[in-house]
Amino acid sequence: GAGVSQSPSNKVTEKGKDVELRCDPISGHTALYWYRQRLGQGLEFLIYFQGNSAPDKSGLPSDRFSAERTGESVSTLTIQRTQQEDSAVYLCASSALGGADTQYFGPGTRLTVL
Amino acid sequence: AQSVTQLDSHVSVSEGTPVLLRCNYSSSYSPSLFWYVQHPNKGLQLLLKYTSAATLVKGINGFEAEFKKSETSFHLTKPSAHMSDAAEYFCVVRDNTGGFKTIFGAGTRLFVKA
């Protein structure tokens, strides 16, 4: 079906506000990843969901960051009390299986914290 | 612990000449290795992946990469550059021991001159 979609495509917020980013993976994909890409840098792993297993949250940079996934569908990444250093593109990817399976990336959400 | 180093932040070649983008990795276990490409204002796209089968991996658009365990390298090559190859390229490592973290290199920006 369709590829990975993310919303919003752009988000501008004020420092201290909470934001919620959404990812719709490819239908049937059991694995879902969130990454952050700061300007001019590579991707930083944030969190990984695989089926009903406990997520791997080892990449979340602080307790202001959290993510949820409903079954094998939509995921939301929430950033509380945003800071200017949170400004980045947040990318979501899904894969049919975990492990070395190919990840398909969404277009990203560009977050700007003023 | 895993890590990946892309040895060049920028590479500039002339159209029609060979491309070499260098990548070294470290991994405690047998890794899977990937190259992704990111064109301006477009999503990440998988070029190729190594998953312990053939050490020479062929990808899309004429790119290939060779896994050299003794050198811990996974360099990306293409015999003849095309203008459309101008993009950011990311080398990626993931171990296969049940961990979920995927580590991206910092990226190499490829410029192609006419």
Side-chain angles (χ1 to χ4, degrees), chain A residues 71-92:
Chain A
E72 294 185 350
S73 60
V74 171
S75 176
T76 55
L77 176 69
T78 301
I79 309 173
Q80 296 177 309
R81 305 181 303 281
T82 52
Q83 304 294 314
Q84 287 183 334
E85 63 262 28
D86 299 335
S87 296
V89 175
Y90 289 82
L91 289 159
C92 175

Side-chain angles (χ1 to χ4, degrees), chain A residues 33 35 37 40-43 45 48 50 54 56 58-59 91 98-103 105-107, chain B residues 32 34 36 38 41 43-46 49 51 88 90 94 96 99-107:
Chain A
Y33 305 75
Y35 297 90
Q37 186 177 26
Q41 298 185 21
L43 275 69
F45 167 84
Y48 167 87
Q50 172 64 59
D56 178 352
S58 59
L91 289 159
D101 201 27
T102 300
Q103 295 178 38
F105 283 82
Chain B
S32 293
F34 309 77
Y36 281 84
Q38 187 175 37
N41 300 316
L44 281 156
Q45 182 183 20
L46 179 70
K49 67 178 178 181
T51 56
E88 186 93 18
F90 294 97
R94 180 190 173 105
N96 294 314
F100 304 127
K101 187 176 290 188
T102 304
I103 305 299
F104 277 69

